[in-house]
Amino acid sequence: MASKKNLVPTILFIFGGSGDLTNRKLVPALYNLYLENYLPEKFVIIGVGRTTFASDDEYRGKLLEGVKQFSRTKKEIDEQWGDFSKNITYHELDLTADETYSHITSWINDKAKEWNVKPIVIFYLAVAPQLAPAIATKLSEQKLCIDSESTRMVFEKPFGHDLQSARELNQILGKMFKEDQIYRIDHYLGKETVQNILAFRFANTLFEPVWNCNYIDHVQITAAEAVGVEDRGGYYEQAGALRDMVQNHILQLLCMIAMEAPTSFDANEIRNKKVDVLNAIRKINPEDVHANTVRGQYSSGWIKGKEVVGYRQEKNVNPQSSVETFVAAKFYIDNWRWQNVPFYIRTGKYMHEKTTLITVHFKEAPRYAFPGEAVETWRPNRLTFSIQPEANIKMRFQAKRPGPNMILNPVDMVFNQKEEYNGYEPEAYETLLEDVIEGNPTLFMRADQVEAAWKVITPIMEAWANRQPVDFPNYSPDSWGPEDAEALIARDGHNWVSLTSKNKE
Ligand code: BG6
């Protein structure tokens, strides 16, 4: 099968090849890329892990189960899986041992000889974050990443635990590798509608003139999850919603909305514009943290007829834990474009519905000539980017209701991706893996972005650490979080937008 893009033959090592991420996300994404002809004509995927498999076939069988369960395309599994999976092998190896890397070196040399070309070599670290520095050091010592043009490393989040540890990690990596070789994943950046924000803003002339504090009243970003912490209690105890979702995904969404127009689509140009936003976010003073943020933790309760335990009763969670599973906050961006426009963000586990939504609320018109009864249901213009579960963009405006009288009603203009493109909705990991193979780091986090994002949340982390929450648990599952989160936005005369399936506002 010839690649659409004539890509250089590629060797992809997945460290953590027997893990959950490989099974749920990476291999289903790679398989979809294969089906759609986006992989290089010559490629191999080499899983490396500690689990024992009797043979490559047994490993492939496990991956196939993952594809069947988690891939967005199911129909061609039987026909093409065989052709795809013959490029996959597995090796049970210890990633802390030197000889592992000697094997890796000889496999790369063998392939280069067989293909008669210098391949692109990617090391995907789908491993526990604490292993990453040691693995990176081995790769460097064994000179496996010496050619920065043809070798790349992919790091999953979390990237550091706070500003200090992120800096240290960046410094370690910076001494061994070129920044261009380092791909720090924030999978939200690969989501279709997230990328569409760039297209919407910078491929249309219509919106830029009103995209500022003169016309925009406020912005809301919601990333609500319907699940709890599941089996990740141990990890989550070290993280909490602020580190897990706000430091990365939510701040990246905010950057997409708030960034200035790039002068080109060059990866660094786009990342420069985003880092400018992070640097312009107003530092919350320690004494103001409690007025501008809300944290929450879920109690036990019921979700769709099923009883669920509270966060403190989850596996590997301290029964007195003060870790937050919900965050709401208000940020300001101190620059000419956004002065005094509040950006409200919220995210939480066990919310009423899974939804990731950005709403841009425009200011009221200065005056209405319509008679009083015409504007009873009047609402300001609002632009909605729905990132998931539906991918769509909606513009709310006023229109006349049919009938003899002039009555105005808010209506939506809608771009629905599924309808427009016959249900075609690639997964974030497909886009991101393809970008790594092609060597395009635009949608990946640069070292300074990661650090700037940590700086934004540092005052919140510190203030929360100094004042333990006394009201935890403070929200029930299947809700929209603690009441204080409603109060945070209500104080400014607004309310959170939730486009639930039952209540399409
Ligand atoms: C991950 C977080 O980065 O994002 C998880 O660690 C969270 O806690 C997940 O569940 C949410 O991703 P998505 O794509 O399901 O919104």
Side-chain angles (χ1 to χ4, degrees), residues 157 187-188 191 225 232 244-245 249 349 354 388:
K157 66 177 270 280
H187 77 282
Y188 269 51
K191 291 186 191 265
E225 296 189 73
R232 297 166 75 222
D244 187 46
M245 293 291 290
H249 309 324
K349 301 272 185 198
K354 179 174 172 82
Q388 55 190 16

Side-chain angles (χ1 to χ4, degrees), residues 25 156-158 186-188 191 223-225 227-230 232 235-236 239 243-245 248-249 349 354 356 387-388 427-429:
K25 297 284 184 192
E156 277 289 333
K157 66 177 270 280
D186 182 321
H187 77 282
Y188 269 51
K191 291 186 191 265
E225 296 189 73
V227 291
V229 294
E230 301 182 298
R232 297 166 75 222
Y235 154 76
Y236 209 81
R243 287 185 171 91
D244 187 46
M245 293 291 290
N248 34 72
H249 309 324
K349 301 272 185 198
K354 179 174 172 82
T356 305
I387 287 151
Q388 55 190 16
E427 288 264 347
Y429 272 93

Side-chain angles (χ1 to χ4, degrees), residues 258-290:
M259 68 192 269
E260 295 299 318
T263 51
S264 75
F265 238 68
D266 173 71
N268 276 328
E269 167 62 6
I270 291 191
R271 297 191 292 180
N272 288 343
K273 292 291 190 282
K274 292 205 301 189
V275 95
D276 284 348
V277 174
L278 293 171
N279 288 333
I281 294 181
R282 191 179 301 166
K283 189 169 184 281
I284 307 184
N285 291 325
E287 60 278 14
D288 296 334
V289 165
H290 296 285

Side-chain angles (χ1 to χ4, degrees), residues 205-384:
T205 49
L206 211 51
F207 306 103
E208 175 55 22
V210 295
W211 208 258
N212 55 54
C213 56
N214 296 328
Y215 290 91
I216 293 178
D217 182 81
H218 72 282
V219 176
Q220 296 184 21
I221 302 177
T222 292
E225 296 189 73
V227 291
V229 294
E230 301 182 298
D231 52 2
R232 297 166 75 222
Y235 154 76
Y236 209 81
E237 278 286 274
Q238 306 304 315
L242 189 64
R243 287 185 171 91
D244 187 46
M245 293 291 290
V246 179
Q247 189 270 344
N248 34 72
H249 309 324
I250 292 205
L251 287 179
Q252 284 305 305
L253 297 180
L254 186 148
C255 287
M256 292 294 226
I257 294 293
M259 68 192 269
E260 295 299 318
T263 51
S264 75
F265 238 68
D266 173 71
N268 276 328
E269 167 62 6
I270 291 191
R271 297 191 292 180
N272 288 343
K273 292 291 190 282
K274 292 205 301 189
V275 95
D276 284 348
V277 174
L278 293 171
N279 288 333
I281 294 181
R282 191 179 301 166
K283 189 169 184 281
I284 307 184
N285 291 325
E287 60 278 14
D288 296 334
V289 165
H290 296 285
N292 287 287
T293 65
V294 173
R295 56 186 152 163
Q297 189 192 72
Y298 61 80
S299 63
S300 58
W302 294 83
I303 295 185
K304 295 172 187 67
K306 195 176 146 240
E307 193 166 14
V308 297
V309 298
Y311 176 69
R312 289 178 175 175
Q313 288 77 51
E314 299 277 14
K315 207 168 120 212
N316 298 328
V317 168
N318 174 353
Q320 269 97 46
S321 176
S322 52
V323 167
E324 77 288 349
T325 58
F326 175 96
V327 179
K330 175 161 83 164
F331 292 113
Y332 286 100
I333 301 169
D334 282 333
N335 63 19
W336 193 320
R337 187 187 287 270
W338 294 112
Q339 201 59 38
N340 292 333
V341 176
F343 282 70
Y344 302 96
I345 63 105
R346 63 175 174 164
T347 181
K349 301 272 185 198
Y350 272 156
M351 301 278 98
H352 179 60
E353 210 157 281
K354 179 174 172 82
T355 171
T356 305
L357 204 65
I358 304 174
T359 48
V360 178
H361 300 250
F362 289 86
K363 290 189 171 168
E364 297 189 8
R367 183 176 177 275
Y368 287 98
F370 296 96
E373 66 274 17
V375 293
E376 268 168 18
T377 55
W378 174 88
R379 304 268 186 84
N381 293 124
R382 184 180 75 197
L383 191 60
T384 302

